Amino acid sequence: MKGALKTRSEERPQDVQNEKQNFSTVFLLVQLVVVLAAIGGYMLYAKRGHTDLQWWKTSVIYQIYPRSFKDSDGDGIGDLRGIISKLDYFQYLNIKAIWLSPFYTSPMKDFGYDISNHTDVDPIFGTLKDFDDLVKESHSRDIKVIIDFVPNHMSDQHPWFQESLKGTGKYRDYFLWSDGKSSFGMRKPPNNWLGVFSGECWRWNEQRKQYYYHAFVKEQPDLNYRNPDVVKDMNDVLRFWMERGVDGIRVDAIMKLFESENIFQDEPRSNRPDVPAFQYEYLTHIHTENLPEIGDVVRGWKKVMDEYEAKDGQSRFIVVELYDPPAIRNKYYDYGAMPFNFDLVEGLKADCGGNCFMEAISNEYDNLPAGEWPKFVLGNHDRKRVSKRFGVESVNVMNMLLLTLKGTPTTYYGEELGMEEIEVSFEETQDPWGINFGKERYTEFSRDPCRSPLQWDASSQSGFTSSSKPWLPVNPGYKTCNVQVQKKKKDSSLNIYKSLATLREAPAFQDPDVQFAVVNDNILSYVRGTANTGRYLVTMNLGHDSSTADYTNEPANAKSGRVVINTENFNEAKFNVGKSVSLSSLTLKPGQGLVLKL
C-alpha cells in the first residue's frame, strides 16, 4: 500500500546506504557540536576582557626538522618548498606556530647547527626567496614562524673564523684562543674541559699556532661573547631575520654562551658512577654552563625584538634551550626569555605513573616566578620519541597531557601520528654524537632514530620524497601509520590530537590554574576552568595497571561529566564522545585518558 512502512527485509539497498550515510552525518555533527560547545564561550569570554594573552601563550608550537619534513625536489632531503606545500596540514591540526630547526648555509657536520652563513639559506633547503615565501604563506594562514637561533658557535668555514685564523684585525678575538700550557716540555690544552659530544674540546690550529675552544664538534668553534663586537654582530643577525617577518626565536644551547674568564681553571669531577673519563657527564660544568654574563646578552636580544614589536605591535617570542632545574632555568625569565621545561622529557623513571608526573608538573608550577608562563615539551630532535620512552599505547594520552596543561606546548613533528623510531646500523649512522661513541655504544647517543622522514601516505617513501634513497630511512610501518590513513579514521592519533589542539583554545584551557584531582600510582587528573569559562576534568592513566576511582569530590565537585575527548585506546562505547559518564566509579586502563565537561 502506498505510504506503508517497509520492514528491514523490504528496504532497498539505496535506502540502507542512505540510512548509513545519515547516521554517519549525525555522528559527525554530534562530535562537532561537542567540540564547538567546548569553545563556544570564547566570544563571551573575549568580551569580558580576557584576550590579552600573547599569541605564544595560546598557540601550540610545532617543531619542524626541515631535513625530514617534506622533500620538494627529489634529492631525498626535506626543504622549505616542501614545508610550504604542507602548510594546510597545520591548519587541519589547528597549529598556530611552527618552529624551524636550522636551514642556514652549513657544511652539515652537525646537520646545520654548524652555520657558515647566518644570513642565508643552504641550497639543499632552498633560497632566501623560498624562506620569504614560507613566512608570507604562513602568515596568510595565521601561522607564526619561529626560527632556530644558534648564537654559541658556528662552522669553522664561517668567514669570521677564517679571518680569526689570521690572528689580526677585527676578528682576532671573536673566538676563544689559547696558547695552552706546557707540562714537562709538552704542549697541552689550558684545562680539562670536555665537549658536549664527549672528548677534548680544545683543538690545536697549526695556522694560528693556538688552541681554539669548541663545546660541540671540532668543526664548531665557540664565539667569544666577552668581545662586544661579537654581541653587536649577532644582534644584527637577529635583526636580519626580524626584517624578514620572523615572529620568534628558539635559542640553541644557551647555557654554553659564556666560559669563565680565567680559562686555566679545571672543572671538578661529577663522581657519577659508570661514566668514562672522556664523557661530558664526567665533570661538573661550573666554568662552562649558565654563567651570569649570559643575562645581559639575552636582554640585548629582547631589546632588538622589542624594536620590531614597537613598529608593528606584534609580540615577539624568545624561548631558550637548557636542561636544568627551576632554580637555574627560571633566571631566564628575568632576562626576557622563556625557558623550555624538559622535566617531562628527562628524569622520569620507566615506572613513572600519576604521582611522579604530578611531582614533575607541580615542580614547574610551584617554582614559576609570579606572572610568568610555563612551556612544556615531550620531545625534540635530540631525544627519543614518545613512543620509544612511554610505549606506542601511551602516545595519545601523552598528547592529551601536553595539550591540556597550563602553559605553551611544543610538539615534535610526527608525535601527532605516534611515529615510532627507526633502526640505524652503525655503518649507516650519520649523527656525530653516536659516531663518537663507536659501535659498542652508538645506540645510546645517536639521534638518527628519532629523525626519520615524516610519514605522509602509503606511497613509495611514504610521500616524503620521490628519491629512492632519503637521507634517513622511512619507518617500515609507514603504510599503516601515515597522515593520509589517519585523517580518515575518527579515532586515529592524528584526529585525537586535532581535537585536543582545538579544545585547547577554549578559555578554560588558557589561563586558569590547574587543580589536581585524583592522583595515585597510575592516575593523574586535574580540573581546568571556572564557573565562568566552563569546567573540565582531564583524567589519564599514566601507569601500568587499571585504576578505579571516585572523582565526585573537590575540585570536580560533580556527579557526572560529558565525554569531550577520548584517547580511544580500547574503543569502549561507554566513553564515546557525547556520552555522560558517572564520576563515582570511573575505571581507566593504562594509556587511557578522557576529557570530560563537568
Side-chain angles (χ1 to χ4, degrees):
M1 184 173 65
K2 186 177 180 180
L5 293 175
K6 296 185 288 290
T7 65
R8 174 65 63 180
S9 61
E10 292 173 324
E11 286 181 336
R12 292 173 297 176
Q14 184 61 45
D15 294 328
V16 174
Q17 181 65 27
N18 290 340
E19 184 177 320
K20 288 180 178 178
Q21 289 177 345
N22 290 339
F23 178 81
S24 178
T25 301
V26 170
F27 180 81
L28 290 173
L29 285 172
V30 169
Q31 283 191 305
L32 179 62
V33 167
V34 169
V35 174
L36 289 177
I39 63 175
Y42 185 77
M43 296 306 296
L44 176 62
Y45 187 72
K47 291 178 181 179
R48 291 173 178 162
H50 295 278
T51 57
D52 58 344
L53 295 179
Q54 296 98 324
W55 62 264
W56 45 268
K57 291 184 178 180
T58 62
S59 300
V60 176
I61 297 175
Y62 185 103
Q63 181 189 355
I64 296 174
Y65 196 66
R67 296 181 72 91
S68 298
F69 192 71
K70 174 62 179 171
D71 173 24
S72 71
D73 57 11
D75 65 355
I77 300 173
D79 47 51
L80 298 182
R81 283 285 156 198
I83 297 171
I84 293 171
S85 73
K86 294 296 185 180
L87 287 175
D88 290 345
Y89 178 59
F90 301 119
Q91 287 191 296
Y92 177 82
L93 282 178
N94 206 39
I95 297 292
K96 299 296 179 65
I98 56 175
W99 150 33
L100 307 179
S101 292
F103 51 83
Y104 314 104
T105 310
S106 168
M108 300 296 166
K109 297 297 183 181
D110 187 23
F111 301 111
Y113 282 93
D114 52 317
I115 299 170
S116 56
N117 186 344
H118 281 81
T119 55
D120 204 356
V121 174
D122 194 278
I124 68 170
F125 296 126
T127 65
L128 274 175
K129 183 182 183 305
D130 293 334
F131 180 82
D132 291 340
D133 289 346
L134 173 58
V135 172
K136 179 182 177 182
E137 292 295 328
S138 297
H139 286 174
S140 72
R141 293 167 172 81
D142 195 28
I143 298 171
K144 305 292 186 181
V145 177
I146 301 166
I147 61 171
D148 238 306
F149 184 54
V150 188
N152 177 70
H153 48 264
M154 55 182 50
S155 169
D156 58 3
Q157 302 304 306
H158 196 289
W160 297 357
F161 188 74
Q162 291 299 308
E163 287 297 315
S164 191
L165 287 177
K166 300 173 184 177
T168 59
K170 172 184 175 180
Y171 297 101
R172 172 184 172 86
D173 297 320
Y174 262 48
F175 303 86
L176 270 69
W177 292 99
S178 173
D179 294 330
K181 58 186 178 182
S182 178
S183 176
F184 300 104
M186 297 286 291
R187 183 178 60 240
K188 295 175 61 178
N191 54 51
N192 71 338
W193 301 351
L194 292 170
V196 174
F197 293 163
S198 297
E200 291 187 354
C201 59
W202 289 95
R203 184 81 174 177
W204 179 259
N205 180 266
E206 191 61 32
Q207 178 179 344
R208 183 155 160 163
K209 306 295 183 185
Q210 283 185 306
Y211 290 97
Y212 68 87
Y213 173 68
H214 58 93
F216 295 88
V217 298
K218 65 181 186 297
E219 296 88 356
Q220 289 174 303
D222 274 44
L223 284 161
N224 174 21
Y225 275 84
R226 298 188 187 280
N227 183 331
D229 284 335
V230 169
V231 175
K232 178 181 179 300
D233 282 351
M234 290 306 291
N235 284 353
D236 287 343
V237 168
L238 194 53
R239 287 190 176 91
F240 177 88
W241 294 106
M242 292 298 108
E243 289 286 348
R244 306 193 93 85
V246 166
D247 301 289
I249 58 172
R250 173 267 187 187
V251 184
D252 178 67
I254 187 67
M255 71 287 185
K256 305 297 292 183
L257 206 63
F258 276 85
E259 299 75 30
S260 292
E261 199 160 9
N262 178 3
I263 62 171
F264 290 94
Q265 301 176 91
D266 284 347
E267 292 191 321
R269 288 274 305 275
S270 66
N271 295 317
R272 288 180 55 176
D274 303 321
V275 174
F278 72 91
Q279 191 170 324
Y280 186 66
E281 291 78 12
Y282 185 78
L283 301 176
T284 299
H285 307 290
I286 60 173
H287 298 304
T288 58
E289 284 191 4
N290 293 312
L291 270 63
E293 294 93 328
I294 296 174
D296 284 341
V297 175
V298 178
R299 290 186 184 100
W301 299 335
K302 181 65 166 61
K303 185 177 179 181
V304 168
M305 299 181 86
D306 286 347
E307 294 172 12
Y308 288 88
E309 183 172 341
K311 290 179 183 179
D312 58 19
Q314 299 296 313
S315 177
R316 301 308 199 279
F317 173 68
I318 304 177
V319 62
V320 296
E321 177 204 29
L322 71 160
Y323 290 81
D324 288 290
I328 296 174
R329 68 175 180 247
N330 285 348
K331 293 178 182 178
Y332 287 84
Y333 286 111
D334 292 335
Y335 306 159
M338 170 188 284
F340 273 119
N341 178 339
F342 290 111
D343 292 353
L344 301 182
V345 177
E346 293 196 334
L348 296 182
K349 299 177 182 178
D351 59 351
C352 184
N355 282 321
C356 69
F357 270 94
M358 186 185 75
E359 184 178 345
I361 295 163
S362 296
N363 191 44
E364 171 73 350
Y365 292 149
D366 293 346
N367 289 285
L368 198 66
E372 300 296 354
W373 193 260
K375 181 145 191 19
F376 289 102
V377 61
L378 283 175
N380 57 33
H381 61 292
D382 288 331
R383 295 297 184 267
K384 296 186 183 303
R385 284 196 174 274
V386 169
S387 59
K388 182 72 171 180
R389 299 198 326 270
F390 299 109
V392 176
E393 69 284 353
S394 293
V395 166
N396 293 344
V397 80
M398 295 307 296
N399 282 334
M400 180 175 285
L401 172 69
L402 179 67
L403 297 187
T404 59
L405 286 171
K406 176 186 176 180
T408 298
T410 296
T411 289
Y412 182 50
Y413 83 97
E415 299 293 15
E416 73 279 13
L417 297 172
M419 274 179 58
E420 297 184 58
E421 296 195 345
I422 59 171
E423 293 184 6
V424 184
S425 69
F426 180 71
E427 290 71 25
E428 295 175 316
T429 295
Q430 301 192 42
D431 184 12
W433 201 351
I435 292 171
N436 282 355
F437 278 85
K439 195 168 186 177
E440 296 300 316
R441 298 189 66 196
Y442 83 98
T443 56
E444 296 177 50
F445 296 92
S446 175
R447 298 164 295 179
D448 290 342
C450 74
R451 297 175 174 181
S452 61
L454 187 63
Q455 295 151 212
W456 289 104
D457 56 44
S459 66
S460 175
Q461 305 300 343
S462 198
F464 164 71
T465 179
S466 60
S467 170
S468 61
K469 189 174 177 57
W471 81 281
L472 279 176
V474 173
N475 190 294
Y478 73 88
K479 289 190 176 181
T480 55
C481 178
N482 64 64
V483 172
Q484 187 180 64
V485 165
Q486 292 202 17
K487 270 189 174 182
K488 296 175 181 178
K489 294 176 61 179
K490 71 174 183 64
D491 59 350
S492 67
S493 293
L494 181 71
N495 282 326
I496 290 168
Y497 186 99
K498 172 185 170 72
S499 295
L500 288 164
T502 302
L503 179 65
R504 192 181 172 279
E505 292 193 334
F509 291 92
Q510 295 297 324
D511 59 353
D513 290 334
V514 169
Q515 299 172 283
F516 288 105
V518 174
V519 179
N520 55 44
D521 287 343
N522 294 295
I523 297 296
L524 173 67
S525 68
Y526 41 80
V527 172
R528 299 299 313 274
T530 65
N532 289 333
T533 64
R535 298 169 66 246
Y536 297 82
L537 172 67
V538 182
T539 178
M540 301 158 289
N541 190 330
L542 304 176
H544 301 284
D545 300 300
S546 292
S547 183
T548 302
D550 180 356
Y551 294 81
T552 58
N553 299 321
E554 292 289 348
N557 195 28
K559 293 182 178 180
S560 65
R562 189 179 71 250
V563 178
V564 176
I565 297 175
N566 173 13
T567 54
E568 296 284 358
N569 296 54
F570 303 95
N571 295 313
E572 294 183 77
K574 64 182 179 182
F575 292 147
N576 282 349
V577 171
K579 288 274 191 176
S580 180
V581 176
S582 171
L583 299 183
S584 61
S585 182
L586 185 58
T587 301
L588 294 180
K589 299 180 178 72
Q592 195 168 26
L594 298 170
V595 179
L596 304 168
K597 180 72 167 63
L598 297 176

